[in-house]
Amino acid sequence: QDAPQPTSIIKQLVTRDGYKSKCKPLDTSRTLQKEQLEANKVYNSCMDNQDTVGVNYDYSTVWRVVKDERIDVGAVSGKFIARENPNFEDARSGLTHDAPGVVSVRRGDEAGYSFTIFPGSGSSSSSYASMLDEDNVVIGRVIEGMDVVEKLNETPVVKSAGRKLTGGAKAKNAPSRGCRYGGSEYFCSEDKPLKKILLDKTGVL
């Protein structure tokens, strides 16, 4: 009830019917005919299913794990890539990442459909919490299954050899949410789990 709009969207995303987001406008700027034909095909398929098939978390992935700082979940499968991202509104509830297991979404529409679980462990957890408080809207917390969160927090991930990422989430040389869809930049694999982790059988209790 403290963040009704983001919470409502997330609840729809965990159902079979999903969240009925609109299709992105057709991009007609492709220079190669083959690419434009493929873009047209994806757009037409999206329009055919826009009102009947919603986006959901079935087989979405855990796409980034920064130990003790964040676990980013909900990179939806490619069939939904033509849908517009939800715009998560800031309810100004005052809720913060004050304990392990807090769940939040990034304000605005840059985050796609993903949500973040705060592991809340380690000596720097308070500084990590402050950074999340700046960008994210708290929508809930894990009430059962913290053992799974702890295992995810320890998941082996890709780390750049001899290259240091700086500047936080908005810097050009930091992992971006666009990396979920196969970005070519070298940092797109940074903090990506070495093994694919999928969500299955999501729902509302």
Side-chain angles (χ1 to χ4, degrees):
Q1 64 182 19
D2 293 297
Q5 188 261 8
T7 302
S8 173
I9 293 175
I10 293 295
K11 284 183 175 180
Q12 293 175 66
L13 285 165
V14 299
T15 64
R16 178 175 295 180
D17 292 336
Y19 172 67
K20 301 296 195 303
S21 61
K22 295 184 179 298
C23 297
K24 296 176 182 176
L26 176 61
D27 181 1
T28 59
S29 64
R30 304 289 201 291
T31 55
L32 297 178
Q33 183 181 29
K34 182 179 180 180
E35 291 182 354
Q36 188 61 60
L37 289 173
E38 181 63 26
N40 294 348
K41 180 180 178 181
V42 171
Y43 175 76
N44 291 333
S45 176
C46 183
M47 292 300 295
D48 288 343
N49 297 301
Q50 177 177 261
D51 298 327
T52 56
V53 179
V55 180
N56 60 41
Y57 282 136
D58 286 352
Y59 304 108
S60 62
T61 62
V62 176
W63 65 277
R64 180 168 62 180
V65 177
V66 183
K67 182 175 168 58
D68 298 336
E69 180 180 344
R70 62 191 303 147
I71 301 168
D72 289 324
V73 186
V76 299
S77 60
K79 65 181 178 180
F80 297 129
I81 196 171
R83 299 296 184 97
E84 290 185 345
N85 293 338
N87 186 9
F88 292 114
E89 298 175 359
D90 188 353
R92 301 293 179 184
S93 66
L95 298 177
T96 61
H97 297 77
D98 59 355
V102 169
V103 180
S104 61
V105 293
R106 187 179 176 90
R107 296 181 182 90
D109 61 0
E110 295 180 358
Y113 296 89
S114 71
F115 61 92
T116 298
I117 302 173
F118 177 52
S121 58
S123 58
S124 301
S125 61
S126 60
S127 61
Y128 295 149
S130 297
M131 288 188 289
L132 286 173
D133 288 341
E134 291 181 9
D135 295 332
N136 287 25
V137 181
V138 172
I139 59 171
R141 68 177 66 244
V142 176
I143 58 175
E144 186 176 332
M146 275 303 296
D147 57 324
V148 177
V149 174
E150 291 166 2
K151 288 180 180 178
L152 288 173
N153 189 44
E154 299 292 336
T155 299
V157 297
V158 175
K159 288 294 183 183
S160 299
R163 308 181 86 164
K164 184 177 181 181
L165 301 182
T166 59
K170 296 182 180 179
K172 291 183 179 180
N173 63 338
S176 70
R177 285 165 174 78
C179 290
R180 291 168 298 176
Y181 303 117
S184 59
E185 295 87 350
Y186 78 87
F187 52 74
C188 271
S189 292
E190 188 76 3
D191 299 316
K192 181 179 179 180
L194 292 177
K195 292 184 178 181
K196 181 175 286 189
I197 305 172
L198 299 175
L199 272 66
D200 186 24
K201 296 180 180 178
T202 59
V204 178
L205 296 177

